[in-house]
Amino acid sequence: IQVPEAWQITTGNPDIVIAVMDDGFDLGHPALSDVKIHPERYDFEGEDRDPQAEGNDWHGTPVASIALASGENSAMSGIAPGCTFLPIRISYKAAPQVELLKGFQYISPLCDIVNCSFGSPPTTVDLIHPQFRKAVTKLIETGGRRGKGLVIVASASNDDAPTFLSKDK
């Protein structure tokens, strides 16, 4: 994705907020220790402001590092280390679409971009409820901190499967 070339233009800006919606985060990890953390971080599991990893739910840490690692205290630099990080802990393994929508609605006025690095096993049936799709489409078009749209970066899982969030469906 030509990140070194992009860094010649910018490494990000603290006014740009990138949310990562995933399981737990190790906010003390060397790759994230110098990253500016948004004060509205949230844990939908514990219903508090502590999205720290618990047990084996550490996937959010490497995902956030790819986007935001500062490179100051680790050998890794993320794509946009100068941006602000909004960690959102959510159980994507068991979260129904209603819970995911609550997460999107919570973060939309707080961030510019959200990364969702989770997915479901491929299926030939579109399991996304039409109302969920409609609500997420509205956030994509008019959400975000500035009301000009929320950029959602979504994983297609590791199955090379198609997604069903296009406006054509």
Side-chain angles (χ1 to χ4, degrees):
I1 60 172
Q2 301 175 327
V3 173
E5 291 82 357
W7 286 335
Q8 299 303 313
I9 300 167
T10 184
T11 57
N13 182 312
D15 191 44
I16 304 295
V17 179
I18 300 174
V20 177
M21 217 160 76
D22 210 313
D23 64 7
F25 301 90
D26 177 1
L27 299 178
H29 189 280
L32 298 175
S33 63
D34 286 334
V35 174
K36 181 179 178 186
I37 307 291
H38 195 284
E40 298 297 321
R41 60 189 179 195
Y42 198 75
D43 177 357
F44 278 90
E45 293 296 296
E47 297 183 7
D48 58 32
R49 298 228 185 264
D50 185 15
Q52 287 291 121
E54 296 176 14
N56 290 326
D57 72 344
W58 49 264
H59 188 258
T61 304
V63 171
S65 297
I66 292 168
L68 295 145
S70 70
E72 295 297 321
N73 292 317
S74 71
M76 180 176 182
S77 288
I79 296 166
C83 293
T84 298
F85 172 35
L86 175 58
I88 301 294
R89 182 173 176 250
I90 192 163
S91 175
Y92 59 86
K93 294 175 184 162
Q97 292 171 27
V98 170
E99 294 302 314
L100 290 175
L101 186 55
K102 284 181 189 176
F104 285 130
Q105 291 169 332
Y106 175 81
I107 63 173
S108 181
L110 302 172
C111 71
D112 302 284
I113 301 164
V114 59
N115 181 83
C116 306
S117 184
F118 48 83
S120 300
T123 178
T124 57
V125 179
D126 181 0
L127 300 176
I128 299 173
H129 193 279
Q131 293 298 341
F132 176 82
R133 183 181 297 114
K134 184 178 178 180
V136 171
T137 299
K138 184 176 180 180
L139 290 173
I140 291 168
E141 293 173 350
T142 63
R145 289 177 51 228
R146 295 165 179 85
K148 295 182 178 182
L150 177 63
V151 176
I152 299 176
V153 179
S155 165
S157 196
N158 294 321
D159 301 304
D160 195 25
T163 61
F164 297 102
L165 282 175
S166 73
K167 292 175 86 172
D168 300 339
K169 298 276 181 178

